[in-house]
Amino acid sequence: MEARVKWLDKLTFTGTSGSGHGIVMDGDRENGFGPSPMEMLLLGVAGCSSIDVVHILQKSRENVLDVETDIKAERAETDPKVFTKIHLHFKVRGENLNEAKIERAVHLSAEKYCSASIMLAKAAELTHSWELLD
């Protein structure tokens, strides 16, 4: 994999992935034009896990209609302000979903498939939960 980050102005940067997709990142928490790099890490781990959960449920022939993942994280108070705890909570909607299959999908993502969460779990306490919504 390759990517490029280019400084624009102040603390604003553009990032371009090897596949050509771009995003703006900003270190200015007050007037920023995009998420901070640490927020990008959280979005990345949630995106990775969410993709796994949807894919596993679809392969299990579950009629999943929506997955929304909330992420909460805690950081160290002193530099480097690394993540110390990360929690992902999956809200799953669908028709006649099997709860055991949802639990299995979340577990498989966390323990086997999501490279981002497995990597971050080596540095922070990483937990997962889920709920089935009507």
Side-chain angles (χ1 to χ4, degrees):
M1 294 184 126
E2 294 182 6
R4 173 170 287 144
V5 172
K6 180 167 179 21
W7 179 40
L8 294 178
D9 186 37
K10 299 179 183 174
L11 297 176
T12 306
F13 294 78
T14 58
T16 306
S17 67
S19 59
H21 294 86
I23 187 133
V24 174
M25 295 177 286
D26 206 317
D28 184 344
R29 297 179 64 85
E30 299 283 324
N31 303 305
F33 292 100
S36 73
M38 291 300 279
E39 289 171 323
M40 291 289 297
L41 280 172
L42 290 180
L43 292 171
V45 72
C48 179
S49 292
S50 298
I51 288 168
D52 287 342
V53 168
V54 168
H55 185 70
I56 293 165
L57 289 173
Q58 288 175 335
K59 285 187 83 167
S60 298
R61 298 200 168 131
E62 290 295 296
N63 191 8
V64 61
L65 301 175
D66 186 50
V67 173
E68 187 173 313
T69 307
D70 294 327
I71 314 112
K72 292 188 179 178
E74 294 179 19
R75 293 177 69 181
E77 292 186 22
T78 58
D79 290 326
K81 295 179 182 171
V82 298
F83 289 120
T84 56
K85 294 182 181 181
I86 301 170
H87 181 74
L88 287 87
H89 180 73
F90 300 88
K91 298 176 186 175
V92 183
R93 284 188 171 88
E95 294 180 0
N96 302 312
L97 294 178
N98 180 319
E99 291 190 27
K101 288 184 180 180
I102 297 170
E103 185 170 353
R104 178 179 175 271
V106 170
H107 177 77
L108 283 172
S109 175
E111 300 295 325
K112 185 173 181 180
Y113 293 114
C114 179
S115 304
S117 68
I118 292 166
M119 181 175 59
L120 283 176
K122 294 178 187 277
E125 178 186 332
L126 190 63
T127 56
H128 299 75
S129 61
W130 62 272
E131 65 181 300
L132 177 57
L133 301 176
D134 295 332

mmCIF file of all heavy atoms in Angstrom, residues 14 36 41 66 71 77 80 110:
data_model
loop_
_atom_site.group_PDB
_atom_site.id
_atom_site.type_symbol
_atom_site.label_atom_id
_atom_site.label_comp_id
_atom_site.label_asym_id
_atom_site.label_seq_id
_atom_site.Cartn_x
_atom_site.Cartn_y
_atom_site.Cartn_z
ATOM 1 N N THR A 14 -3.973 17.378 2.802
ATOM 2 C CA THR A 14 -4.785 16.454 2.020
ATOM 3 C C THR A 14 -4.068 15.111 2.019
ATOM 4 O O THR A 14 -2.838 15.050 1.978
ATOM 5 C CB THR A 14 -4.990 16.905 0.562
ATOM 6 O OG1 THR A 14 -3.719 17.055 -0.065
ATOM 7 C CG2 THR A 14 -5.773 18.189 0.487
ATOM 8 N N SER A 36 -9.206 15.070 12.382
ATOM 9 C CA SER A 36 -7.796 15.005 12.761
ATOM 10 C C SER A 36 -7.256 13.625 12.391
ATOM 11 O O SER A 36 -8.022 12.678 12.184
ATOM 12 C CB SER A 36 -7.650 15.239 14.259
ATOM 13 O OG SER A 36 -8.097 14.098 14.977
ATOM 14 N N LEU A 41 -7.928 7.540 12.449
ATOM 15 C CA LEU A 41 -7.659 6.188 12.940
ATOM 16 C C LEU A 41 -8.939 5.526 13.443
ATOM 17 O O LEU A 41 -9.203 4.351 13.156
ATOM 18 C CB LEU A 41 -6.627 6.214 14.062
ATOM 19 C CG LEU A 41 -5.171 6.332 13.651
ATOM 20 C CD1 LEU A 41 -4.281 6.535 14.874
ATOM 21 C CD2 LEU A 41 -4.726 5.109 12.880
ATOM 22 N N ASP A 66 -29.060 -2.359 7.591
ATOM 23 C CA ASP A 66 -28.310 -1.192 8.028
ATOM 24 C C ASP A 66 -27.378 -1.574 9.173
ATOM 25 O O ASP A 66 -27.752 -2.371 10.035
ATOM 26 C CB ASP A 66 -29.273 -0.085 8.500
ATOM 27 C CG ASP A 66 -28.554 1.201 8.826
ATOM 28 O OD1 ASP A 66 -27.744 1.666 7.999
ATOM 29 O OD2 ASP A 66 -28.797 1.757 9.911
ATOM 30 N N ILE A 71 -18.229 4.803 17.882
ATOM 31 C CA ILE A 71 -16.895 4.583 18.414
ATOM 32 C C ILE A 71 -16.662 5.553 19.557
ATOM 33 O O ILE A 71 -16.927 6.748 19.420
ATOM 34 C CB ILE A 71 -15.806 4.836 17.348
ATOM 35 C CG1 ILE A 71 -16.159 4.181 16.028
ATOM 36 C CG2 ILE A 71 -14.438 4.376 17.832
ATOM 37 C CD1 ILE A 71 -16.461 5.173 14.970
ATOM 38 N N GLU A 77 -3.419 11.263 28.860
ATOM 39 C CA GLU A 77 -3.463 12.697 29.148
ATOM 40 C C GLU A 77 -2.178 13.417 28.778
ATOM 41 O O GLU A 77 -2.177 14.628 28.595
ATOM 42 C CB GLU A 77 -3.794 12.912 30.629
ATOM 43 C CG GLU A 77 -5.215 12.486 30.962
ATOM 44 C CD GLU A 77 -5.616 12.827 32.375
ATOM 45 O OE1 GLU A 77 -5.010 13.736 32.978
ATOM 46 O OE2 GLU A 77 -6.542 12.177 32.878
ATOM 47 N N PRO A 80 3.059 11.019 24.340
ATOM 48 C CA PRO A 80 2.166 11.005 23.195
ATOM 49 C C PRO A 80 0.766 10.577 23.629
ATOM 50 O O PRO A 80 0.614 9.608 24.372
ATOM 51 C CB PRO A 80 2.786 9.966 22.272
ATOM 52 C CG PRO A 80 3.484 9.016 23.191
ATOM 53 C CD PRO A 80 3.945 9.850 24.360
ATOM 54 N N ALA A 110 -13.419 -8.874 15.048
ATOM 55 C CA ALA A 110 -12.496 -8.457 16.105
ATOM 56 C C ALA A 110 -11.300 -9.392 16.255
ATOM 57 O O ALA A 110 -10.187 -8.942 16.527
ATOM 58 C CB ALA A 110 -13.247 -8.364 17.431
#
